[in-house]
Amino acid sequence: MDEKPFETQIEVRYRDTDSMGHVSSPIYYDYMQSAYLEYMHGLLELPKNRKLPHIMVRTSCEYVSQAVYGDRISILSRVTKFGNKSFEMEHVMQVADDSGREVARANSVHVMFDYESQKTYPVPEEFKAAVARYQSRA
């Protein structure tokens, strides 16, 4: 990642693992969503009981190595691209220890959405500027 990512830490719970003892593949989507929500609520300074002004419309995840119960996962999230009404994010998940071993790499696409009118709308310039300010911090 070239720019400063937003970091979310999650401890792997026993229920996150499958019969093989490693984090089950669908759980990484939960981690990604948690990281996205933490980043955006913080960036927009919105209380967590308020809806974000965008919705997640597409996700993908590549599994790189195993994470197990008790591992602490650091999720490094950043906005990578803006479209007219959407933006894309990257979420790099790694073990939060000296190794920094990558366990998964996920991507998500989000669309600006007005819940009242049930319509999409262009990405506001203020939102783009807030992301640029945060991610350009050294």
Side-chain angles (χ1 to χ4, degrees), residues 14-134:
Y14 179 74
R15 70 180 184 173
D16 295 348
T17 62
D18 59 19
S19 62
M20 303 299 282
H22 57 261
V23 173
S24 181
S25 56
I27 299 300
Y28 289 104
Y29 287 91
D30 183 49
Y31 293 170
M32 171 181 41
Q33 185 172 42
S34 293
Y36 152 68
L37 291 169
E38 289 293 327
Y39 183 12
M40 291 301 146
H41 276 283
L43 182 76
L44 299 172
E45 298 178 351
L46 278 176
K48 290 185 179 177
N49 64 351
R50 298 257 325 269
K51 291 179 184 177
L52 292 172
H54 28 78
I55 54 177
M56 188 180 287
V57 296
R58 186 176 347 145
T59 58
S60 65
C61 188
E62 175 186 354
Y63 311 104
V64 179
S65 66
Q66 296 180 29
V68 297
Y69 170 62
D71 279 345
R72 179 164 286 283
I73 305 298
S74 176
I75 304 160
L76 305 174
S77 302
R78 70 183 182 101
V79 175
T80 57
K81 181 180 176 185
F82 288 104
N84 180 38
K85 295 181 178 184
S86 65
F87 61 96
E88 297 179 20
M89 293 186 72
E90 174 184 61
H91 311 272
V92 176
M93 300 176 216
Q94 57 192 37
V95 177
D97 64 11
D98 292 338
S99 75
R101 178 176 50 84
E102 190 172 311
V103 295
R105 183 175 292 267
N107 293 287
S108 57
V109 177
H110 310 264
V111 173
M112 303 307 296
F113 192 74
D114 182 313
Y115 290 92
E116 219 171 279
S117 67
Q118 292 290 297
K119 293 184 180 177
T120 60
Y121 61 92
V123 177
E125 290 303 317
E126 307 84 55
F127 177 70
K128 291 179 186 178
V131 169
R133 275 191 307 275
Y134 181 83

